[in-house]
Amino acid sequence: MRVSDLFNRDSVLLHADMADRDDALGVLVELQESNGVITNGTAYYNAILQRETAGGSTAIGEGIALPHAASAGVTAPGVAALTLRRGVDWGAPDNRPVDLAFMVAVPPDAESAHLLILARLVNLLSDETLVRNLRACVSREDFILRLARAEASRFA
């Protein structure tokens, strides 16, 4: 499974203005819902919030967060991405505000896909050049293309 194949232009929002983490999570859920990945946005948003509160922050440092949950309201694995003009507090281990977030949604019976997607994203986002380029993208198509090229190169 290629993570970049789980994106389309409507699952990416670039250079948004968000007040806080909860607003960013809401927008990511809306992106997933509009693509048909999530059938119940409210239930999924609540699952994500519970994961963030009870399970600890999904911010991994360096301004990046990977919110994720497996939920009955998810029809198929999907990923949405959001870049922010100004970072928001996400409770990151390095205390850096998050300005790049990828939301991973999977059905409850897709744990192996869930882990694979998260592992691939962490691996890809360890590349500082890729992360810098993703933050600078001016089009959603360019964002997906850069991610796809990096994934093809790294996991050929």
Side-chain angles (χ1 to χ4, degrees):
M1 171 188 307
R2 292 174 43 96
V3 170
S4 54
D5 290 341
L6 300 175
F7 283 94
N8 67 46
R9 73 176 314 277
D10 295 328
S11 61
V12 178
L13 180 62
L14 303 176
H15 313 295
D17 289 312
M18 298 288 142
D20 55 31
R21 176 202 71 183
D22 293 355
D23 284 351
L25 289 171
V27 167
L28 285 162
V29 168
E30 287 173 9
L31 292 171
Q32 296 274 38
E33 195 171 28
S34 69
N35 282 321
V37 171
I38 297 172
T39 57
N40 185 335
T42 301
Y44 193 77
Y45 180 80
N46 291 335
I48 284 286
L49 269 184
Q50 180 179 2
R51 166 66 183 86
E52 290 287 337
T53 335
S57 174
T58 56
I60 61 173
E62 301 299 321
I64 302 168
L66 300 172
H68 57 94
S71 173
V74 179
T75 59
V79 182
L82 175 66
T83 66
L84 302 173
R85 291 185 202 280
R86 290 178 316 279
V88 296
D89 180 21
W90 209 290
D94 62 359
N95 294 317
R96 183 173 166 181
V98 166
D99 65 352
L100 179 61
F102 291 83
M103 177 176 277
V104 178
V106 296
D109 61 347
E111 275 306 309
S112 61
H114 191 170
L115 295 175
L116 174 66
I117 294 165
L118 286 172
R120 283 241 170 147
L121 281 171
V122 168
N123 187 300
L124 289 166
L125 297 171
S126 68
D127 179 341
E128 292 175 19
T129 301
L130 173 62
V131 170
R132 185 173 48 255
N133 288 336
L134 291 175
R135 286 180 169 127
C137 284
V138 294
S139 77
R140 296 176 279 191
E141 293 83 3
D142 187 39
F143 187 96
I144 296 166
L145 181 61
R146 287 179 185 271
L147 193 64
R149 284 182 179 158
E151 186 173 23
S153 171
R154 187 158 292 192
F155 300 105

